[in-house]
Amino acid sequence: MPSIAYFGPRGTFSEQAALVHAAPTDSLVPMDTVPRALAAVRAGDADLACVPVENSVEGAVSATMDALAVDDPLVAVAEVVLPVRFSVLVRPGVSAEDVRTVASHPHALAQVQGWLARHLPAATQTAATSTAGAAVGVGDGTWDAAITAPVAANHYPLDVLATDVADVDGAMTRFLVLRRPGALPERTGFDRTSLVMIASAERTGVLAELLTELALRGINLSRIESRPQKGRLGRYRFYLDFDGHVAEQRVGDALAALHRRCEHVRFLGSYPKAERASSASAAALGNSDQDYTQANRWVTAVRNGETG
Amino acid sequence: MPSIAYFGPRGTFSEQAALVHAAPTDSLVPMDTVPRALAAVRAGDADLACVPVENSVEGAVSATMDALAVDDPLVAVAEVVLPVRFSVLVRPGVSAEDVRTVASHPHALAQVQGWLARHLPAATQTAATSTAGAAVGVGDGTWDAAITAPVAANHYPLDVLATDVADVDGAMTRFLVLRRPGALPERTGFDRTSLVMIASAERTGVLAELLTELALRGINLSRIESRPQKGRLGRYRFYLDFDGHVAEQRVGDALAALHRRCEHVRFLGSYPKAERASSASAAALGNSDQDYTQANRWVTAVRNGETG
């Protein structure tokens, strides 16, 4: 019965994401902050952590990324992608006309301004530390309505005034499920690999060279972000997500190249992609495992004087 | 007397950044949200907008970046970098022992947990929509203490319980000052150029190629971030900051190359760097303006049959 730490209280988008990954018997443990959820796994107090890594509605992604790059390594075993769609919760019997105050995390409020203008134009907006914190405040009478993750309705004795609330269609938020290093998830053919690297020089063009190491092996980059290293002006960490599993020869070969050329590379996991979209064909590019095996065999033969 | 729109209310980090840029006679205009500050400039209701673009303490950077990539173009004329250091404001006469509740934007609270544990361990923490919103709430008696930008002390009749509050030294937050397109800021030799681009293909390796266009011209990348385009799975916008001014031949030449190779490039400005650090020497790399002029003159001569 693994335990999964997430950014709480109960009813946040982080819990919603954890539920997508969890088995029915898993226990979900709310933590005060994202770094504390990671710390719980590092300390062995939880088996897994589910934390936001992209387009977070609540909780700062920059804090997550900084926390993944330092301290004991953690590796992702899964990703979860959720649509950014909110529910509006009120105390039982309260109707839209009764709502004088509406609360949520400031980032959630910012994403429903159009809906609020149309449906609750007279309501005063106030901030909560999380979307779920707003639901707690509605329950205790502090506010009349909360903008929350859909899962919050399962935890708090509140009515759902509206669901699927979003000003912009198609917005998504992304989470990683992380654990201490160990056996990797199986290669599925629909995998993503994440890492953080620090180039070994401030030389102009070094990032172009490092990305070329991936491109030459037919590896498709799906995300990149630079973050300055605190206290080291002009030195950056680069966070990369790309298609493929480290068990693939081309991915292992690319990681070895980055390791040779970087001051530091931290592997953040190879895990199935949420969308199950196929990676670009490796075979077509001379980058299949078989291509690597045959090519290495040929070089060995050349070295042994067996062929030209 | 230009007007500068910023993410309000009065006393936010955005106002603090705007003040760094503003002349004494400029009028500063608080707006409800970052996108609204940009919209005010697009509509001509304000001359400039000062908005967070990196490591924001309050206001979502992702919303800023999305808003800069669409609608009428805006260009940056300056950047402002501020240390992430907070003040703690209380009503006059209130001491640390009297503080039962402390409020701020959730991201600001997250960055002072260590300080709060040491100095206000018994205080209940609550969220505000901005650091300045917390100061307003302290003024009206809702909370006892607010974690704010230093500038908030100028606006609200509150006492400063502590200043330079930060758990981690060296954290910075970055803002751009934007206006409608027009004459560019003068080239200073300490310039940065920002743009957003959409590659014209989902082809593997396209980003490595685009960054190589910069590297080949000796242009040093200072920031990169990919953001998915809403509703277009697998298509990304890339936000780049790099050293140099578009008035430089090598930078203009690189922008032309990106324009040739991209589906879309939007210029977001050439402006003096906040840190006034010199760009990597262009001359040493055969990339000075003089190198370009001489090389172009030589190609013209070759085409005219005047030399070999």
Side-chain angles (χ1 to χ4, degrees), chain A residues 203-225:
Chain A
R203 200 162 38 78
T204 294
V206 67
L207 181 61
E209 291 175 20
L210 294 171
L211 295 186
T212 298
E213 294 282 5
L214 300 179
L216 290 172
R217 292 169 177 86
I219 295 172
N220 185 47
L221 192 69
S222 56
R223 179 159 176 259
I224 182 166
E225 189 174 341

Side-chain angles (χ1 to χ4, degrees), chain B residues 186-259:
Chain B
E186 294 283 331
R187 176 177 170 180
T188 66
F190 308 97
D191 303 296
R192 197 184 321 273
T193 293
S194 296
L195 61 81
V196 53
M197 63 185 183
I198 299 169
S200 49
E202 294 168 52
R203 200 163 38 78
T204 294
V206 67
L207 181 60
E209 291 175 20
L210 294 170
L211 296 186
T212 299
E213 294 283 5
L214 301 179
L216 290 173
R217 291 169 178 87
I219 295 171
N220 185 47
L221 193 69
S222 55
R223 180 160 176 257
I224 182 166
E225 187 173 342
S226 64
R227 283 188 54 69
Q229 288 186 265
K230 287 198 181 81
R232 298 185 68 186
L233 200 69
R235 296 304 293 273
Y236 293 85
R237 291 194 191 107
F238 298 104
Y239 292 84
L240 306 186
D241 292 342
F242 50 82
D243 289 351
H245 192 292
V246 67
E248 292 172 53
Q249 296 223 35
R250 60 176 179 153
V251 175
D253 203 54
L255 287 186
L258 297 181
H259 194 270

Side-chain angles (χ1 to χ4, degrees), chain A residues 260-284:
Chain A
R260 277 190 282 112
R261 302 179 71 135
C262 284
E263 178 182 314
H264 179 69
V265 180
R266 174 175 282 198
F267 174 71
L268 295 178
S270 288
Y271 48 86
K273 289 199 278 189
E275 71 264 29
R276 296 269 153 170
S278 176
S279 306
S281 166

Side-chain angles (χ1 to χ4, degrees), chain B residues 76-182:
Chain B
V77 293
E79 69 172 6
V80 177
V81 176
L82 295 178
V84 179
R85 303 188 80 78
F86 301 92
S87 292
V88 183
L89 305 187
V90 294
R91 285 180 300 282
V94 169
S95 67
E97 297 76 51
D98 303 326
V99 173
R100 299 279 172 276
T101 53
V102 57
S104 196
H105 190 284
H107 290 184
L109 286 174
Q111 292 180 67
V112 296
Q113 288 300 309
W115 188 91
L116 288 173
R118 286 192 303 279
H119 295 92
L120 297 173
T124 304
Q125 299 176 22
T126 52
T129 50
S130 66
T131 55
V136 172
V138 170
D140 68 19
T142 308
W143 305 301
D144 296 325
I147 310 293
T148 70
V151 71
N154 303 351
H155 290 302
Y156 303 101
L158 300 173
D159 280 2
V160 178
L161 186 68
T163 56
D164 283 336
V165 169
D167 287 353
V168 180
D169 267 345
M172 309 290 262
T173 177
R174 182 166 163 257
F175 301 80
L176 288 180
V177 179
L178 298 136
R179 70 173 179 209
R180 291 179 296 284

Side-chain angles (χ1 to χ4, degrees), chain A:
Chain A
M1 199 178 87
S3 61
I4 308 178
Y6 66 91
F7 172 58
R10 295 186 304 156
T12 57
F13 276 90
S14 289
E15 188 199 5
Q16 186 107 41
L19 282 171
V20 171
H21 178 78
T25 54
D26 292 350
S27 69
L28 272 61
V29 186
M31 305 296 293
D32 283 352
T33 66
V34 168
R36 271 177 217 166
L38 298 177
V41 178
R42 289 191 172 112
D45 297 332
D47 300 300
L48 299 162
C50 182
V51 298
V53 291
E54 206 168 352
N55 257 4
S56 177
V57 174
E58 59 202 338
V61 164
S62 56
T64 305
M65 302 316 276
D66 288 347
L68 285 175
V70 297
D71 295 334
D72 291 338
L74 296 174
V75 292
V77 293
E79 69 172 6
V80 177
V81 175
L82 295 178
V84 179
R85 301 188 80 79
F86 301 92
S87 292
V88 183
L89 305 187
V90 294
R91 284 181 299 282
V94 169
S95 68
E97 297 75 52
D98 304 326
V99 173
R100 299 276 171 279
T101 53
V102 56
S104 195
H105 190 284
H107 290 182
L109 286 173
Q111 293 180 67
V112 296
Q113 288 299 309
W115 188 91
L116 287 173
R118 286 192 304 280
H119 295 92
L120 298 172
T124 304
Q125 299 176 21
T126 51
T129 49
S130 66
T131 56
V136 173
V138 170
D140 68 19
T142 308
W143 304 301
D144 296 326
I147 310 295
T148 69
V151 71
N154 303 351
H155 290 303
Y156 303 101
L158 300 173
D159 279 3
V160 178
L161 186 68
T163 55
D164 283 337
V165 170
D167 287 352
V168 180
D169 267 345
M172 309 289 261
T173 177
R174 181 166 164 258
F175 301 80
L176 287 180
V177 179
L178 298 137
R179 70 173 179 210
R180 292 179 295 283
L184 301 182
E186 294 283 330
R187 177 176 170 181
T188 66
F190 308 98
D191 304 296
R192 198 185 319 275
T193 293
S194 296
L195 61 80
V196 52
M197 64 186 183
I198 298 169
S200 51
E202 293 169 52
R203 200 162 38 78
T204 294
V206 67
L207 181 61
E209 291 175 20
L210 294 171
L211 295 186
T212 298
E213 294 282 5
L214 300 179
L216 290 172
R217 292 169 177 86
I219 295 172
N220 185 47
L221 192 69
S222 56
R223 179 159 176 259
I224 182 166
E225 189 174 341
S226 64
R227 283 189 53 72
Q229 289 185 264
K230 289 198 180 80
R232 297 185 67 186
L233 199 69
R235 296 304 291 274
Y236 293 85
R237 292 193 190 107
F238 298 104
Y239 292 83
L240 306 186
D241 292 342
F242 50 82
D243 289 351
H245 192 293
V246 67
E248 292 173 53
Q249 295 223 35
R250 60 175 178 155
V251 175
D253 203 52
L255 287 186
L258 298 180
H259 194 271
R260 277 190 282 112
R261 302 179 71 135
C262 284
E263 178 182 314
H264 179 69
V265 180
R266 174 175 282 198
F267 174 71
L268 295 178
S270 288
Y271 48 86
K273 289 199 278 189
E275 71 264 29
R276 296 269 153 170
S278 176
S279 306
S281 166
L285 299 155
N287 276 307
S288 71
D289 280 2
Q290 191 184 7
D291 292 331
Y292 269 87
T293 302
Q294 291 175 349
N296 289 335
R297 193 176 295 147
W298 177 77
V299 172
T300 301
V302 169
R303 284 178 174 158
N304 291 340
E306 293 165 9
T307 185

